[in-house]
Amino acid sequence: MDAWTALGEGKYLLVTTFKRDGTPVATPVWVAVDGTDLVFWTVRDSGKVKRLRRDPRVEVGPCDLRGNPLGESTAARARLLDDPTSDHVRRLIQRKYGILGRLTIGGSRLRRGAKGTIGVAISQDSPPA
């Protein structure tokens, strides 16, 4: 298994987004693998979604539940997903995290509605030419 896939197979992923002034903001998230992408879901009006709408650059790395880094981070690109693909991400998270994933996503759907969260896909940055 390569390092990228290992990030998706881990329990938590530390996703760092960047404010307008360049300040990094790191957040631990549940992660799943979807093809060559790492995917996670989050609240649609969260700070990280607002930052990603402005700047798709992210850094990703392994972490624990509290967001303490467990290894090196790597540069990547994130993109916000449409509703059907976000549903697919939620199913991947539910499958990977079992009953806890189903309860968490179900609770979120009750609180926020079906469109209250959004899927995010993270792709490896291409190496410089």
Side-chain angles (χ1 to χ4, degrees):
M1 173 181 339
D2 67 1
W4 184 256
T5 304
L7 287 173
E9 296 295 330
K11 190 159 184 179
Y12 302 101
L13 182 70
L14 191 62
V15 177
T16 303
T17 55
F18 300 91
K19 292 182 179 182
R20 285 186 197 280
D21 67 2
T23 303
V25 179
T27 308
V29 297
W30 280 349
V31 62
V33 177
D34 188 25
T36 60
D37 290 338
L38 305 179
V39 294
F40 69 94
W41 68 282
T42 189
V43 177
R44 192 174 290 267
D45 62 356
S46 68
K48 71 181 131 318
V49 169
K50 292 173 187 173
R51 290 186 292 276
L52 289 173
R53 286 190 198 287
R54 188 186 47 73
D55 183 357
R57 289 180 311 124
V58 295
E59 289 183 6
V60 294
C63 71
D64 65 14
L65 168 69
R66 301 203 184 286
N68 298 310
L70 298 176
E72 295 295 316
S73 64
T74 186
R77 293 257 175 232
R79 68 184 183 285
L80 301 173
L81 301 172
D82 61 16
D83 289 336
T85 312
S86 292
D87 286 340
H88 174 67
V89 169
R90 284 188 280 275
R91 285 190 299 275
L92 289 173
I93 295 292
Q94 287 173 325
R95 188 175 311 135
K96 179 175 177 181
Y97 292 91
I99 188 70
L100 187 57
R102 288 190 294 279
L103 288 171
T104 302
I105 289 175
S108 175
R109 187 176 301 262
L110 286 173
R111 279 191 313 282
R112 296 181 180 88
K115 308 280 190 226
T117 59
I118 188 169
V120 180
I122 302 171
S123 304
Q124 284 182 291
D125 257 353
S126 302

